[in-house]
C-alpha cells in the first residue's frame, strides 16, 4: 500500500468512502471526482472480454477456448499465455479487471457450468488458475477468481445452501482459491450466489475473514456476484468489499446509516475502502480519466493462439489408426454440429465473437469442398432454432405496449438480453415493453414449431396469428439464469419459399434475484427418419464418415443443469445408422463434459473437441488431418453412465438439492477418487488421452533427503517419444497413503508436467512435492497432518495408467498450519 492511498483515505468523506463500495452500473465503480479517483471498470468473462455490452451483441471480441478445454490442455504455460492475451482483450474494452477464472470443481457430470471450469481435480484446477492469473495480472489487469465457494450446480443457485464439511472444503473446493491467493496473488475474488452451510457466502465471516484474509493473508477485494449481496452490515462486517452491480441496493444510504448507528464501525469501513483503493492503484484505474472506449480488435496473434490452444485441448479418446485422415479420401461430413460452429457455452461467459469457423468450413479450407458431402442427420437443439436476421424493435416506456414508441432500433436475431442501458436510456430497463418486427422464409414446407422463452412476458405472432404464448400463463423455468420461463412451443404449417411476417411482443415483469429482461424466439422444422436415412446413405458413399455431434450453449449453460448425460435428440441413433453404413466412422464430440457413448464399439475413432473458441473448425480440422497433434487429456472422468458419478443419489438432498440444501455427501471422494473407492471402471479415466505417437516412461527416482525434516521430495522420470512423429504427453504423479488414521482416497494427483518431444527424443522430467502433497486436513485440530508411515509415489499418463511406483517412509508426524 502506498502513501497516496493513506492520503486519499484520510481525505475522503463518509459519503465518498461509501461510493466506492458498490457499483455505479452493471460494469463500473463510480469515480470520486473531487479527489481525482478514476472509475474502475470490469468485464466478463473467462473465455473472452465482452466489454460493457449485453450478453448478446455488443462490440465484437475474441472467443478463446472455454475452461474445460483449457483444463484438457494440462498446460500451465498455455494458460499463462491465454491470460496474457486476455489482458490485451480487456484493455481493448476499456476495462481494468476480468471476471475470471472460474475454478469451481466438477462435482457432478450434469452441472450446466462445468464447461466454464477447469477440472474435477483441485490441483489441476489450481495450477492452471495460477498460470492464467499471472498472465492477466502481469499485464496490469486484475483477475477475479470465482465463485467462492461451493457453486457446483446451477439449480436454485441463488438460494441453495451447499452443505460441505470442512475437510472436504479444505482438500477439494478451496484449493484453487488458496493457490490463487498464495501463489498467484490474485487481486480479486468473487463470492458465489449460494449459501455455504446455511450462510450466504457474500456475508460468510469464516470464509471471507477467517480463511481468506487471516489464514491466507489475502489483501485484494471480494466482490459479490451480480445481485449476490443480500444485506448491508452483515456483508461489510464479514469482508465483502464491493457490491455489484450498481446502482446499489444494500449500500449507499443504508451503509451510511449503518455507520452512524454503529452496526458497521468506521475502522471496518476503512478496511473495505482501503482494499478498493489498493485494487484501483494496482490496475491503474485510480488515475485513469480517459473517456470509456471499446474496440473490436481482431488480432492475428490471438487468432493463432486460439487455434493452437483449441488443437491442444482436443482429446483423442479412441483411434484404431484411421486418424489422421488419409490424404485424398472422400469424406461424408455428417451431424448437427458439422456446419454450426459451437464455440462457447451459454450464460455470462458468452460474447459476440469476431467470427465463428465451423468444422465444415475448417475441412473445406484444408481439403477442398469437392471431396466432401454433407447431411445434418438430426438436430441437437434444446430450443427451436433461433430466428436470425436484422429486426426492427419499437420500445415503449410502459409495460403495456401503449402509446407511441419512445425509441425504434434494430437488433440482430430474435433474441435480446437487456441489462443496464436499454433503448439509449429512453426506458426504465426493468419497466418497459417492446414489439419486434421480423420475417421468416422457410426452406421446406411442413408443420413448423415456433418457440419462445423469456425473462418477462412474451408472445409470438405469425402473419398476425398468435402461435406461442409465454404471457398469459408465464411460469418460472430454467432459462436466463432461472429468471426465465421454459420454452413455450406452438405449431403452424408453412410453405417453402413464402415469406411470413413474425411479430414478437415483450413486456418486463418483476424479477426474483437478477434484474434483467430477455427473450429468445426460434422457428424450426423437425428432422426425422428420412434425414437419418439420408445421412446413412451419404456415409455409405464416402470413404470415411465424420460425424459431428454433441451439445451446444443452450445445454451447457449457466443457470441450468443438464437433465442427464445422454446425447440430446436422436444423435445416438444417427451415429448407429452411420456406423452401420460405413465401417470407417469417426465421431467428433463437442460438449462441456462427459456423455454416454452406446455406439463406442462400432466406430473407429472418437475425438472430444469441447468448445474451443472462434477458431473451432480450423482447430478441429488441424487435428483430424494431422496438421496438429491432439494434445488434450481428460480433466474430468467420463463415466459409463450418469448414475456412476459421485453426486448421483436416490437422496435428492445429495443432488440436485432438497428444501434449499444440497449435501456433498461424497466428501473428498469426487471424480476419479470416487471410481477408485468403489472399484469402478469408467468409460474413460481422468487424465486419459491418445496421440498420434507413443511415449514410454521409465527410471523413476526419488530424492528424499528433505522428506523427514520438511516433508519435501523431488521425483524424476525419463520420458521418451517412441513414435515416428513429434507429440506431447502429460506425466502425472499421484500420491497414495495406504494406512491413515482418516479415510483417504486411493491416490491423489499432486504434480504433473506437459512434455512435448520430437520423434525418438528423450527427456528427464522433474516433479517437486512439498509437505502438503502428503497431508490431509484435520478439521477438529485445524491443521494439515502428514502422518508417519509409508507413502507410494505413482507415475504414469492417466489415473488408470500408472506403471511406475516408488515408496518413501516417514518416521514422525508433521503438522502444517492452514
Amino acid at each position: 500500500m502506498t502513501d497516496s492511498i493513506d492520503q486519499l483515505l484520510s481525505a475522503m468523506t463518509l459519503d465518498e468512502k461509501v461510493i466506492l463500495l458498490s457499483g455505479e452500473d452493471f460494469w463500473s465503480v463510480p469515480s470520486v471526482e473531487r479527489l481525482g479517483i478514476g472509475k474502475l471498470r470490469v468485464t466478463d468473462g473467462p473465455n473472452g472480454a465482452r466489454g460493457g455490452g449485453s450478453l448478446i451483441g455488443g462490440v465484437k471480441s475474441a472467443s478463446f477456448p472455454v475452461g474445460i478445454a483449457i483444463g484438457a490442455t494440462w498446460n500451465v504455460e498455455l494458460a499463462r499465455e491465454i491470460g496474457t492475451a486476455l489482458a490485451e482483450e480487456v484493455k481493448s474494452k476499456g476495462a481494468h479487471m476480468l471476471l475470471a477464472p472460474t475454478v469451481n470443481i466438477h462435482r457432478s457430470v450434469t452441472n450446466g457450468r462445468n464447461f466454464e471450469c477447469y477440472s474435477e481435480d483441485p490441483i489441476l484446477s489450481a495450477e492452471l488458475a495460477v498460470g492464467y492469473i499471472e498472465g492477466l495480472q502481469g499485464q496490469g489487469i486484475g483477475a477475479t477468481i470465482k465463485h467462492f465457494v461451493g457453486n457446483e450446480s446451477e439449480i436454485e443457485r441463488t438460494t441453495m445452501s451447499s452443505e460441505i464439511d470442512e475437510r472436504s472444503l479444505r482438500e477439494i473446493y478451496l484449493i484453487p482459491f488458496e493457490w490463487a491467493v498464495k501463489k498467484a496473488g490474485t487481486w480479486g475474488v468473487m463470492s458465489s450466489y449460494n449459501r455455504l452451510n446455511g450462510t450466504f457466502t457474500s456475508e460468510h465471516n469464516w470464509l471471507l475473514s477467517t480463511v481468506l484474509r487471516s489464514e491466507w493473508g489475502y489483501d485484494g477485494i471480494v466482490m459479490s456476484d451480480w445481485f449476490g449481496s443480500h444485506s448491508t452490515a452483515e456483508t461489510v462486517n464479514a469482508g465483502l468489499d464491493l457490491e455489484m452491480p450498481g446502482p446499489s441496493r444494500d449500500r449507499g444510504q443504508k451503509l451510511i446509516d449503518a455507520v452512524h448507528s454503529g452496526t458497521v464501525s468506521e475502522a471496518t469501513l476503512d478496511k473495505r475502502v482501503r482494499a478498493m483503493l489498493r485494487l484501483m492503484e494496482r490496475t491503474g484505474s485510480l488515475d485513469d480519466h480517459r473517456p470509456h472506449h471499446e474496440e473490436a480488435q481482431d488480432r492475428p496473434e490471438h487468432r493463432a493462439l486460439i487455434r493452437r490452444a483449441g488443437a491442444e485441448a482436443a482429446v483423442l479418446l479412441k483411434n484404431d489408426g484411421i486418424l489422421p485422415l488419409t490424404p485424398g479420401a472422400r469424406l461424408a461430413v455428417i451431424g448437427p454440429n458439422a456446419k454450426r460452429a459451437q464455440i462457447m457455452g451459454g450464460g455470462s461467459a458468452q460474447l459476440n465473437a469476431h467470427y465463428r469457423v465451423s468444422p465444415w468450413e475448417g475441412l473445406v479450407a484444408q481439403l477442398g469442398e469437392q471431396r466432401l458431402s454433407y447431411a445434418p442427420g438430426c438436430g441437437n437443439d434444446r430450443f427451436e432454432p433461433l430466428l436470425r436476421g436484422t429486426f426492427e424493435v419499437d420500445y415503449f416506456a410502459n409495460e403495456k405496449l401503449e402509446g407511441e414508441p419512445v425509441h425504434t432500433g434494430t437488433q440482430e436475431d430474435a433474441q435480446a438480453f437487456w441489462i443496464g442501458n436499454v433503448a439509449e436510456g429512453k426506458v426504465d430497463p426493468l419497466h418497459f415493453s417492446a414489439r419486434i418486427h421480423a420475417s421468416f422464409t422457410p426452406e421446406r414446407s411442413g408443420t413448423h414449431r415456433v418457440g419462445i422463452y423469456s425473462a418477462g412476458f412474451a408472445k409470438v405472432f405469425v402473419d398476425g396469428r398468435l402461435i406461442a404464448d409465454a404471457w398469459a400463463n408465464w411460469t418460472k423455468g430454467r432459462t436466463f439464469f432461472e429468471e426465465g420461463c421454459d420454452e413455450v412451443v406452438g405449431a403452424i404449417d408453412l410453405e417453402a419459399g413464402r415469406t411470413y411476417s413474425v411479430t414478437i411482443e415483450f413486456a418486463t415483469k418483476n424479477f426474483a434475484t437478477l434484474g434483467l429482461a430477455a427473450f429468445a424466439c426460434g422457428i424450426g422444422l423437425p428432422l426425422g427418419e428420412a434425414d437419418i436415412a439420408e445421412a446413412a446413405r451419404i456415409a455409405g458413399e464416402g470413404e470415411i464418415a465424420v460425424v459431428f455431434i454433441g451439445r451446444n450453449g443452450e445445454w451447457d449453460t449457466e443457470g441450468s443443469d443438464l437433465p442427464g448425460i445422454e446425447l440430446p435428440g436422436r444423435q445416438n441413433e444417427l451415429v448407429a445408422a452411420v456406423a452401420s453404413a460405413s465401417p470407417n466412422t469417426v465421431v467428433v464430440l463437442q460438449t462441456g463434459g462427459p456423455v454416454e457413448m452406446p455406439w463406442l464399439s462400432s466406430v473407429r475413432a472418437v475425438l472430444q473437441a469441447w468448445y474451443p473458441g472462434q477458431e473451432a473448425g480450423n482447430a478441429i480440422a488441424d487435428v483430424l488431418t494431422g496438421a496438429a497433434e491432439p494434445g488434450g487429456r481428460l480433466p474430468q472422468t467420463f463415466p459409463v453412465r450418469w448414475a456412476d458419478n459421485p453426486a448421483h443419489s436416490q437422496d435428492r438432498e445429495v443432488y440436485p438439492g432438497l428444501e434449499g440444501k444440497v449435501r456433498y455427501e461424497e466428501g473428498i471422494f469426487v471424480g476419479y477418487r470416487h471410481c477408485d473407492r468403489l472399484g469402478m471402471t469408467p468409460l474413460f479415466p481422468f487424465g486419459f488421452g491418445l496421440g498420434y505417437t507413443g511415449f514410454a516412461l521409465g527410471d523413476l527416482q526419488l530424492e528424499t533427503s528433505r522428506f523427514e525434516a520438511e516433508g519435501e521430495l523431488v521425483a524424476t522420470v525419463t520420458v521418451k517419444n517412441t513414435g515416428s512423429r513429434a507429440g506431447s504427453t502429460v506425466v502425472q504423479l499421484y500420491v497414495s497413503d495406504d494406512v491413515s488414521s482418516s479415510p483417504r482416497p486411493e491416490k491423489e494427483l499432486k504434480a504433473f508436467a506437459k512434455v512435448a518431444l520430437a520423434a525418438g527424443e528423450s527427456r528427464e522430467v522433474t516433479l517437486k512435492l512439498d509437505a502438503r502433497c502428503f497431508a490431509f486436513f484435520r478439521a477438529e485440530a485445524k491443521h494439515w497432518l502428514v502422518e508417519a508411515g509409508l507413502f507410494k509415489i505413482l507415475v504414469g499418463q492417466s489415473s488408470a495408467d500408472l506403471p511406475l511406483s516408488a515408496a518413501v517412509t516417514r518416521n514422525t508426524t508433521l503438522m502444517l498450519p492452514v
Side-chain angles (χ1 to χ4, degrees):
M1 185 188 64
T2 64
D3 292 339
S4 63
I5 289 179
D6 281 331
Q7 293 167 3
L8 281 172
L9 189 59
S10 63
M12 295 177 78
T13 66
L14 175 59
D15 285 13
E16 288 168 341
K17 291 176 181 179
V18 168
I19 281 174
L20 292 187
L21 301 185
S22 58
E24 178 178 54
D25 51 35
F26 246 76
W27 307 113
S28 69
V29 176
S31 61
V32 182
E33 294 183 7
R34 183 182 73 86
L35 298 174
I37 297 173
K39 183 177 294 189
L40 175 75
R41 292 186 176 88
V42 304
T43 182
D44 266 324
N47 50 279
R50 186 175 58 246
S54 167
L55 302 190
I56 299 166
V59 178
K60 291 191 173 183
S61 306
S63 174
F64 285 75
V66 300
I68 197 170
I70 295 174
T73 71
W74 289 63
N75 189 334
V76 176
E77 289 307 312
L78 180 60
R80 183 174 287 108
E81 210 177 335
I82 290 171
T84 301
L86 285 171
E88 296 176 317
E89 294 288 328
V90 173
K91 291 175 183 178
S92 76
K93 299 302 183 287
H96 309 95
M97 201 167 195
L98 186 66
L99 305 180
T102 307
V103 296
N104 296 103
I105 298 297
H106 297 160
R107 176 192 177 227
S108 76
V109 292
T110 49
N111 178 18
R113 215 165 179 177
N114 274 350
F115 77 89
E116 196 176 319
C117 311
Y118 294 135
S119 176
E120 70 185 31
D121 185 82
I123 298 300
L124 176 56
S125 297
E127 289 271 24
L128 292 167
V130 167
Y132 184 104
I133 291 167
E134 289 178 343
L136 265 178
Q137 295 188 169
Q139 303 302 310
I141 296 298
T144 317
I145 194 166
K146 60 187 186 181
H147 305 87
F148 193 55
V149 66
N151 181 192
E152 276 72 41
S153 170
E154 294 298 288
I155 297 173
E156 299 178 16
R157 61 176 180 159
T158 59
T159 55
M160 190 71 76
S161 177
S162 297
E163 304 291 304
I164 314 174
D165 67 275
E166 186 175 356
R167 183 183 175 194
S168 299
L169 279 169
R170 299 279 191 173
E171 293 189 22
I172 305 293
Y173 299 100
L174 288 175
I175 283 179
F177 297 96
E178 182 182 4
W179 284 34
V181 171
K182 292 182 176 179
K183 297 188 178 187
T186 186
W187 297 342
V189 171
M190 181 185 289
S191 63
S192 54
Y193 281 123
N194 53 279
R195 303 173 195 261
L196 176 64
N197 298 325
T199 302
F200 280 114
T201 61
S202 58
E203 54 192 55
H204 205 296
N205 187 74
W206 176 82
L207 186 65
L208 304 185
S209 289
T210 302
V211 174
L212 183 61
R213 288 194 169 89
S214 297
E215 295 176 359
W216 297 351
Y218 180 59
D219 68 352
I221 71 147
V222 180
M223 72 171 70
S224 72
D225 205 339
W226 268 227
F227 303 97
S229 169
H230 303 277
S231 60
T232 303
E234 292 89 340
T235 58
V236 175
N237 290 333
L240 186 76
D241 301 291
L242 178 62
E243 174 204 19
M244 288 297 288
S248 176
R249 299 162 310 285
D250 298 320
R251 298 195 172 181
Q253 188 60 48
K254 291 180 181 178
L255 181 51
I256 292 170
D257 293 343
V259 173
H260 287 318
S261 69
T263 55
V264 173
S265 71
E266 291 195 35
T268 297
L269 185 76
D270 284 354
K271 286 182 182 178
R272 306 284 88 83
V273 177
R274 193 183 303 273
M276 288 297 299
L277 291 172
R278 186 187 298 118
L279 170 69
M280 297 171 81
E281 182 179 59
R282 285 169 167 168
T283 61
S285 71
L286 196 64
D287 303 310
D288 187 353
H289 303 289
R290 297 171 297 173
H292 184 222
H293 177 65
E294 297 189 7
E295 293 183 359
Q297 296 181 357
D298 185 5
R299 298 169 179 255
E301 63 271 25
H302 290 182
R303 287 186 170 209
L305 173 59
I306 292 165
R307 184 169 181 167
R308 173 163 54 89
E312 187 164 349
V315 183
L316 188 59
L317 296 174
K318 179 179 180 178
N319 186 27
D320 68 359
I322 195 171
L323 295 179
L325 294 170
T326 304
R330 289 179 291 109
L331 304 183
V333 180
I334 294 166
N337 284 354
K339 285 193 173 182
R340 296 171 67 180
Q342 306 296 358
I343 69 173
M344 66 183 89
S348 60
Q350 65 189 349
L351 47 78
N352 188 17
H354 292 302
Y355 56 89
R356 297 166 175 249
V357 181
S358 71
W360 171 265
E361 292 166 328
L363 289 170
V364 167
Q366 294 197 32
L367 304 177
E369 192 167 357
Q370 69 279 1
R371 291 168 49 194
L372 310 179
S373 57
Y374 165 74
C378 69
N380 64 357
D381 291 306
R382 178 181 172 189
F383 308 114
E384 294 307 312
L386 188 67
L387 182 59
R388 298 192 178 278
T390 300
F391 306 132
E392 185 177 277
V393 186
D394 293 328
Y395 294 90
F396 300 84
N398 57 69
E399 291 157 297
K400 297 180 180 180
L401 297 157
E402 291 180 346
E404 293 297 315
V406 296
H407 178 73
T408 297
T410 60
Q411 69 180 46
E412 291 186 11
D413 305 332
Q415 61 177 343
F417 193 95
W418 288 298
I419 52 175
N421 189 307
V422 177
E424 298 182 1
K426 294 178 182 177
V427 300
D428 181 334
L430 298 179
H431 300 282
F432 72 94
S433 55
R435 184 176 286 116
I436 298 90
H437 305 278
S439 63
F440 177 68
T441 305
E443 295 180 0
R444 298 193 293 172
S445 297
T447 302
H448 286 65
R449 289 163 56 88
V450 179
I452 184 78
Y453 56 99
S454 57
F457 303 114
K459 297 177 182 178
V460 187
F461 301 83
V462 178
D463 278 359
R465 175 184 164 195
L466 178 63
I467 304 300
D469 187 351
W471 192 306
N473 296 298
W474 189 96
T475 303
K476 184 178 179 181
R478 298 180 301 137
T479 64
F480 296 120
F481 313 109
E482 295 187 310
E483 290 287 347
C485 63
D486 290 332
E487 187 179 35
V488 176
V489 178
I492 184 172
D493 291 331
L494 302 177
E495 297 178 12
R498 177 183 166 188
T499 299
Y500 296 83
S501 68
V502 179
T503 303
I504 303 161
E505 294 183 346
F506 176 89
T508 56
K509 61 178 294 297
N510 293 335
F511 60 91
T513 303
L514 310 180
L516 58 90
F519 80 90
C521 175
I523 301 179
L525 181 65
L527 301 179
E529 294 289 346
D531 299 282
I532 292 179
E534 173 63 10
R537 185 188 68 80
I538 75 157
E541 293 179 351
E543 294 175 83
I544 300 173
V546 187
V547 188
F548 293 89
I549 56 173
R551 299 193 293 254
N552 54 44
E554 295 173 349
W555 295 102
D556 290 302
T557 181
E558 179 179 358
S560 176
D561 275 11
L562 295 160
I565 60 170
E566 183 178 357
L567 282 166
R570 303 184 67 179
Q571 294 181 95
N572 285 334
E573 294 177 61
L574 174 64
V575 176
V578 170
S580 179
S582 171
N584 298 319
T585 297
V586 174
V587 171
V588 179
L589 281 168
Q590 284 197 265
T591 63
V595 294
E596 297 171 5
M597 303 182 199
W599 35 259
L600 182 62
S601 63
S602 64
V603 302
R604 294 189 62 186
V606 179
L607 180 72
Q608 170 58 264
W610 317 107
Y611 303 125
Q614 64 192 28
E615 286 281 334
N618 286 332
I620 291 169
D622 285 345
V623 173
L624 291 175
T625 61
E629 176 83 2
R633 303 296 183 264
L634 288 181
Q636 184 179 22
T637 302
F638 274 36
V640 174
R641 55 187 185 137
W642 180 25
D644 292 344
N645 91 96
H648 192 277
S649 174
Q650 296 302 312
D651 184 346
R652 289 184 58 83
E653 191 173 280
V654 174
Y655 183 86
L658 182 67
E659 296 179 353
K661 294 181 180 180
V662 58
R663 189 175 78 252
Y664 287 38
E665 187 177 60
E666 72 283 355
I668 59 174
F669 296 96
V670 297
Y672 64 88
R673 297 165 172 83
H674 171 74
C675 294
D676 288 346
R677 186 187 194 189
L678 298 183
M680 180 185 295
T681 300
L683 188 63
F684 295 105
F686 174 77
F688 175 80
L690 304 172
Y692 293 152
T693 187
F695 293 87
L697 276 58
D699 194 25
L700 173 62
Q701 301 290 326
L702 302 183
E703 202 291 300
T704 61
S705 61
R706 297 175 59 84
F707 186 63
E708 185 65 39
E710 306 293 339
E712 300 173 358
L713 67 76
V714 178
T716 58
V717 62
T718 300
V719 186
K720 182 176 182 179
N721 182 340
T722 59
S724 60
R725 60 177 282 164
S728 64
T729 190
V730 178
V731 180
Q732 302 169 37
L733 184 153
Y734 296 76
V735 172
S736 175
D737 182 6
D738 287 346
V739 179
S740 173
S741 62
S742 289
R744 300 196 70 176
E746 181 179 299
K747 60 181 179 289
E748 297 176 278
L749 180 74
K750 294 299 179 182
F752 62 90
K754 188 74 173 278
V755 185
L757 298 175
E761 183 183 1
S762 295
R763 185 180 304 163
E764 185 177 87
V765 174
T766 300
L767 300 167
K768 298 180 179 179
L769 306 183
D770 62 15
R772 276 279 294 270
C773 293
F774 302 92
F776 64 90
F777 188 76
R778 294 183 68 203
E780 66 280 4
K782 305 296 183 187
H783 65 231
W784 294 87
L785 180 67
V786 184
E787 291 187 317
L790 182 142
F791 294 88
K792 291 179 182 176
I793 306 299
L794 309 171
V795 178
Q797 297 179 80
S798 82
S799 63
D801 175 25
L802 300 168
L804 305 182
S805 65
V808 61
T809 302
R810 285 189 59 84
N811 298 312
T812 59
T813 60
L814 180 63
M815 291 183 291
L816 307 171
V818 290

